[in-house]
Amino acid sequence: MELSGGEILIQCLKDEGVEFIFGYPGGSVLHIYDALFQQDAVKHILVRHEQGATHAADGYARVTGKPGVVLVTSGPGATNTVTGIATAYMDSIPMVVFTGQVPRPVIGSDAFQEADIVGITRPCVKHNFLVNDVSKLAETVKKAFYIATTGRPGPVLVDIPKDVTDPRIKIPYEYPSVVSLRSYHPQSKGHRGQIKRAAEMLLSARRLMIYSGGGVVLGNGSDELTELTRWLGAPITNTLMGLGAYPGTDRQFVGMLGMHGTYEANMAMHECDVLLAIGARFDDRVTGKLAEFCPDAKIIHIDVDPASISKTVRVDVPIVGDVAPVLRELLDLLKSSGQKPDAEALMAWWQRVEFWRSLNCLQYERSNEVIKPQFVIEQLYEVTAGDAIITSDVGQHQMWTAQYYKFNQPRRWLNSGGLGTMGYGMPAAIGAKLACPDREVACVTGEASIQMCIQELGTALQYMTPIKIINLNNRFMGMVRQWQEFIYESRYSHSYMDTIPDFVKLAQAYGHVGMKIEKPGEVRQALEEAFKLKDRVVFLDFITDPTENVYPMIEAGKAHHDMRLAPGTNSARELA
Amino acid sequence: MRHIISILIENESGALSRVAGLFSARSYNIESLTVAPTEDATLSRMTLVTFGSDEIVEQITKQLNKLIDVVKLIDISLSDHIERELMMVKVRAEGGTREEVKRLADIFRGNIVDVTPTTYVIEVTGEKSKLDAFLQTVDSTDILEVVRSGATGILRGDKGLYL
Ligand SMILES: Cc1cc2nc3c(=O)[nH]c(=O)nc-3n(C[C@H](O)[C@H](O)[C@H](O)COP(=O)(O)OP(=O)(O)OC[C@H]3O[C@@H](n4cnc5c(N)ncnc54)[C@H](O)[C@@H]3O)c2cc1C
Ligand SMILES: Cc1ncc(C[n+]2csc(CCOP(=O)(O)OP(=O)(O)O)c2C)c(N)n1
């Protein structure tokens, strides 16, 4: 089969089993778009801004586990993808981004729409390539998918000069069935000796705490994690990225940890004597003050990326490997040991954890007058039976969703944790809905975040992706306002917008349904009505309490036991 | 502590900037970096001199290993090794100083590789400390120009950085 570069690229995508490509055309990718036009196996989703393409591809990737694929033109098309690529990079999301480039002979001459996108994205991709010959195209695409999806996943960018896709130059096509890179060998199995040491340490623990993260979602290790946690009987917490990997409604689950984690999760971290960390990267939002992190604990850390291990916190038992096989091996070892963790110690430990839990740190003041944002999330949870895919933007609404929507399954909670990208939520919801048309998909957002990618409402109509947008409209950049209240004596410097659009009309202008909800009594009904509109995008504009804050909160630089609780909540120290 | 990291890296365009970019992005210290082709045309060999605590140097080697273009690396300063750097120094050599400079070059086993009525170019090779010592010995007002290659190194004996 003789194909041109443009045709080769599309054929490669077919051979990779790519369903959707999120893109936006322009001069340097027109040959590729022409090849795209002449087939219908790979469906192109035309976004309204290239940032939207990357977030939509990212949303698709997070729910399916398959790589998200993006195609954009050179120059501004390419630079518009940078935020989305960096978002995927920080959260280790598999993605392959194809950018057009100016023709080879003019590279470096400041040609029209030339940007050194390989150079620009180098620090925020797992790897990137410039294809300098059509004969290397298929092999490069294969490598890109391989690198993006193996080991610690991440975005890979492939920059293709226009003349490489010239329709007049045809060469024999063959998609490589395997790829091997002498410099890249992701490790799957863990070190047997270390796993043994971990098992011994787990059996000797008296106050064991399990802390698992996004790696369990990425590595499809939920079943193994759940089985291991049940066998050990210990409390488990998840990071923001790990929610859903262990059932959120299970008794052993003590909620999220970290800056806005629960009292019980953070206290248990502080007092545990063995910490089992699985696919989590000891982020500063999680650890708080490093010098006082888990002061009494021996730490076991399982991670596929050696560089994640002992990066910020030194660990005692490092295990490099893929979560699922490592946890399986650990479980087998524990089960065949004939031993069990000390039952009495475990009971005493649980008494302490239950005491912390009894303080009910997520309680909030109820109101019949003004809509409390937490209440909306609780209602959303009930109306969707806890079974929807939920995306979010960044801010208070993101934290409330993490706290009040109890995720029982992995790949149902999509948010930008590492980069914290406002504008992520809606395009990600579109990508998720395309991947899972039969599942409810909702985007929880704020009136500031939603405006960062609002243009994708057009995409949602064009491709009939009936997502529900839950806008917690507090008329403030709430998260910023909260910090200003706590740290800057309520000097609300530029965290307020006094020209917020009429979202109902805006939704309608894009061809969708808009609702404005102002009373607590209307929340439930509005949600039910919205989810009944199966084939419509519904924008629910909830006018919420502008003064509400996210609690608990560990302020930057403080330790786990140093939490600021909601007014009216007693800490254990105060009770003692 | 000072570490000398020897790296075999794919001879691809951009590979050098991946390494350099890593150091600036993560604000790791870099004392010197040299890169040149090897006997295998597909590979370049890079020698990178850095310093930092054990934890930081551990992160540096892990992050370098994570770069897809890095094929293999070793921290040669952890084993018996030879370190060499090439330096060329242009000095003012007039009247009385002419003899004095030549004598110093001899002591450091330097070669005078260029001579004019008023200047010498002296070539010295050795470990960093030797080159530093030479520069300290020559009267600084006589030094016109210093060019150093940055350190390179190799392990002694059978051990080495092979594929
Ligand atoms: C406003 C805001 C507030 C936040 N507050 C909090 C908070 O209170 N609490 C909180 O937890 N986070 C919070 N975050 C998120 C935080 O910034 C980090 O993104 C998050 O904590 C990182 O999660 P993680 O450790 O699970 O790592 P991830 O970023 O999910 O990384 C996954 C880890 O798993 C490893 N891995 C990947 N695949 C595998 C595999 N197959 N096998 C083994 N290992 C694998 C990777 O190498 C990596 O180390 C907040 C973010 C924002 C924007
Ligand atoms: C692109 C981007 N710019 C700025 C920020 C900093 N930031 C974090 S939260 C936030 C406010 C978000 O406001 P809103 O979307 O209304 O959500 P709320 O906190 O009110 O729930 C801002 C500005 C960010 N995370 N992302």
Side-chain angles (χ1 to χ4, degrees):
Chain A
M1 186 164 46
E2 299 244 309
L3 299 177
S4 69
E7 292 163 339
I8 287 175
L9 178 61
I10 301 307
Q11 191 56 44
C12 289
L13 298 180
K14 287 187 203 166
D15 288 343
E16 269 300 326
V18 172
E19 272 178 291
F20 297 108
I21 183 163
F22 301 87
Y24 207 94
S28 68
V29 285
L30 286 180
H31 298 328
I32 301 171
Y33 268 83
D34 198 44
L36 201 52
F37 188 77
Q38 299 175 37
Q39 57 87 50
D40 47 28
V42 182
K43 290 185 243 356
H44 182 269
I45 306 297
L46 178 68
V47 293
R48 299 299 179 266
H49 183 298
E50 289 87 350
Q51 182 181 349
T54 50
H55 292 330
D58 173 313
Y60 173 87
R62 291 191 205 219
V63 295
T64 59
K66 295 191 263 178
V69 184
V70 174
L71 172 63
V72 299
T73 192
S74 67
T79 55
N80 270 350
T81 64
V82 172
T83 301
I85 293 173
T87 302
Y89 180 71
M90 290 295 277
D91 291 342
S92 307
I93 304 306
M95 181 185 289
V96 180
V97 178
F98 297 99
T99 50
Q101 183 52 279
V102 299
R104 281 168 296 176
V106 297
I107 287 182
S109 68
D110 302 318
F112 176 63
Q113 294 197 329
E114 178 178 5
D116 174 17
I117 198 65
V118 168
I120 290 170
T121 57
R122 203 171 277 135
C124 63
V125 292
K126 186 168 173 189
H127 196 57
N128 58 21
F129 297 94
L130 172 69
V131 180
N132 51 25
D133 197 282
V134 63
S135 65
K136 300 231 185 80
L137 183 57
E139 179 196 326
T140 307
V141 174
K142 180 79 189 176
K143 282 185 186 167
F145 277 93
Y146 173 64
I147 293 170
T149 52
T150 49
R152 178 178 184 169
V156 176
L157 182 139
V158 182
D159 199 23
I160 309 174
K162 184 169 187 180
D163 55 330
V164 167
T165 57
D166 188 336
R168 292 164 305 180
I169 301 168
K170 302 213 177 209
I171 62 161
Y173 168 78
E174 197 188 340
Y175 196 56
S177 55
V178 286
V179 58
S180 92
L181 287 153
R182 62 177 168 184
S183 59
Y184 176 69
H185 311 281
Q187 198 162 332
S188 171
K189 267 184 66 101
H191 186 278
R192 179 81 184 169
Q194 294 293 57
I195 297 178
K196 265 202 188 119
R197 281 182 61 206
E200 283 159 18
M201 199 175 269
L202 290 171
L203 286 168
S204 70
R206 302 186 63 81
R207 298 186 307 278
L208 172 63
M209 180 69 175
I210 302 171
Y211 144 56
S212 83
V216 180
V217 178
L218 296 163
N220 301 312
S222 272
D223 292 348
E224 288 80 0
L225 175 71
T226 307
E227 199 182 331
L228 176 72
T229 304
R230 298 235 164 97
W231 193 90
L232 290 165
I236 176 169
T237 180
N238 287 166
T239 66
L240 181 71
M241 305 316 290
L243 293 174
Y246 188 85
T249 51
D250 189 89
R251 191 190 68 90
Q252 277 173 261
F253 185 65
V254 294
M256 181 172 81
L257 82 165
M259 181 174 273
H260 292 298
T262 65
Y263 188 70
E264 51 272 32
N266 288 331
M267 289 305 289
M269 290 293 286
H270 194 69
E271 292 196 5
C272 66
D273 71 343
V274 172
L275 180 70
L276 174 59
I278 309 167
R281 57 184 175 82
F282 295 82
D283 183 83
D284 52 271
R285 295 257 150 154
V286 162
T287 58
K289 188 176 179 184
L290 283 172
E292 286 176 43
F293 177 76
C294 297
D296 302 326
K298 290 247 179 300
I299 304 176
I300 304 163
H301 187 190
I302 303 168
D303 202 293
V304 76
D305 178 5
S308 273
I309 297 180
S310 292
K311 181 164 71 175
T312 57
V313 172
R314 281 254 26 108
V315 306
D316 301 279
V317 183
I319 303 173
V320 178
D322 192 1
V323 266
V326 171
L327 290 182
R328 177 56 56 203
E329 197 173 334
L330 183 60
L331 250 171
D332 290 347
L333 216 60
L334 285 167
K335 284 182 178 167
S336 61
S337 72
Q339 289 172 269
K340 270 287 216 179
D342 186 309
E344 235 169 82
L346 190 59
M347 208 158 74
W349 178 224
W350 268 111
Q351 266 172 10
R352 195 133 177 81
V353 175
E354 289 300 352
F355 168 63
W356 292 321
R357 176 140 65 186
S358 71
L359 299 179
N360 198 9
C361 68
L362 293 182
Q363 68 193 321
Y364 60 91
E365 210 182 308
R366 309 266 155 179
S367 165
N368 293 322
E369 301 301 314
V370 47
I371 300 178
K372 290 286 177 178
Q374 302 95 322
F375 176 70
V376 178
I377 306 298
E378 285 177 338
Q379 293 299 308
L380 175 67
Y381 174 73
E382 285 179 17
V383 168
T384 56
D387 206 28
I389 292 168
I390 308 287
T391 73
S392 90
D393 271 301
V394 173
Q396 291 182 316
H397 62 273
Q398 176 188 25
M399 294 299 110
W400 285 317
T401 312
Q403 292 174 330
Y404 294 91
Y405 199 100
K406 296 178 182 17
F407 294 93
N408 274 330
Q409 306 266 344
R411 303 197 180 280
R412 296 282 169 84
W413 165 233
L414 283 52
N415 78 129
S416 167
L419 199 66
T421 309
M422 292 169 68
Y424 172 80
M426 200 229 303
I430 293 172
K433 187 71 184 173
L434 284 165
C436 306
D438 298 331
R439 192 166 290 287
E440 297 295 0
V441 178
C443 163
V444 180
T445 183
E447 78 294 335
S449 290
I450 192 68
Q451 294 187 63
M452 288 225 176
C453 276
I454 194 77
Q455 73 286 346
E456 301 307 328
L457 282 173
T459 311
L461 184 70
Q462 181 170 354
Y463 298 97
M464 288 297 287
T465 50
I467 57 171
K468 309 296 177 244
I469 297 167
I470 315 292
N471 189 37
L472 300 182
N473 185 344
N474 54 8
R475 281 86 67 215
F476 271 106
M477 298 173 198
M479 186 56 93
V480 174
R481 189 202 55 72
Q482 175 169 347
W483 283 51
Q484 290 172 334
E485 180 188 330
F486 289 180
I487 307 167
Y488 300 93
E489 298 169 321
S490 301
R491 287 186 297 279
Y492 297 142
S493 180
H494 304 282
S495 53
Y496 175 77
M497 281 188 232
D498 55 6
T499 51
I500 294 168
D502 179 336
F503 287 111
V504 172
K505 281 197 191 139
L506 186 69
Q508 287 166 348
Y510 272 104
H512 303 308
V513 179
M515 298 181 183
K516 184 169 182 172
I517 305 99
E518 296 181 88
K519 289 272 162 292
E522 302 163 358
V523 169
R524 179 71 175 222
Q525 199 195 338
L527 284 167
E528 281 171 356
E529 219 174 285
F531 280 98
K532 273 195 203 119
L533 296 171
K534 290 279 172 214
D535 53 0
R536 299 297 297 276
V537 172
V538 184
F539 194 116
L540 296 107
D541 188 21
F542 292 97
I543 307 302
T544 59
D545 184 350
T547 63
E548 195 57 69
N549 289 322
V550 183
Y551 295 105
M553 176 171 180
I554 302 177
E555 283 172 26
K558 296 207 168 155
H560 276 151
H561 62 298
D562 205 356
M563 271 166 279
R564 183 167 184 152
L565 299 177
T569 317
N570 293 311
S571 75
R573 243 184 303 171
E574 285 155 354
L575 287 183
Chain B
M1 211 185 93
R2 182 166 176 269
H3 290 256
I4 306 173
I5 300 171
S6 237
I7 306 166
L8 284 177
I9 190 163
E10 296 287 356
N11 187 8
E12 299 269 354
S13 74
L16 173 63
S17 46
R18 285 183 211 278
V19 173
L22 176 72
F23 274 69
S24 62
R26 296 188 180 265
S27 57
Y28 298 146
N29 297 311
I30 198 161
E31 184 182 288
S32 68
L33 178 103
T34 71
V35 56
T38 64
E39 74 283 7
D40 176 345
T42 66
L43 286 173
S44 301
R45 176 136 173 178
M46 203 178 264
T47 307
L48 204 153
V49 182
T50 181
F51 49 93
S53 65
D54 289 353
E55 286 77 23
I56 289 179
V57 174
E58 181 183 325
Q59 260 300 308
I60 290 176
T61 53
K62 283 174 169 178
Q63 293 292 348
L64 283 169
N65 260 316
K66 228 172 119 167
L67 294 177
I68 306 288
D69 283 337
V70 169
V71 182
K72 210 169 173 186
L73 65 81
I74 45 169
D75 183 344
I76 64 168
S77 45
L78 300 179
S79 317
D80 216 2
H81 68 280
I82 301 162
E83 174 192 339
R84 286 290 180 274
E85 181 174 357
L86 171 79
M87 174 169 74
M88 291 190 272
V89 189
K90 185 175 288 177
V91 291
R92 201 187 313 278
E94 289 167 313
T97 60
R98 233 172 143 78
E99 261 317 296
E100 171 66 9
V101 168
K102 181 163 178 342
R103 206 173 51 82
L104 279 178
D106 286 344
I107 294 174
F108 282 84
R109 300 196 188 179
N111 298 317
I112 295 176
V113 291
D114 182 64
V115 180
T116 71
T118 54
T119 63
Y120 283 153
V121 173
I122 305 162
E123 171 200 296
V124 192
T125 54
E127 292 190 4
K128 176 182 185 302
S129 51
K130 173 179 163 186
L131 307 192
D132 291 346
F134 178 74
L135 289 178
Q136 268 168 16
T137 318
V138 179
D139 186 344
S140 62
T141 55
D142 290 336
I143 296 178
L144 298 170
E145 210 177 332
V146 176
V147 202
R148 298 176 68 149
S149 66
T152 58
I154 197 163
L155 286 182
R156 287 182 188 274
D158 290 340
K159 284 199 285 177
L161 180 61
Y162 318 113
L163 276 197

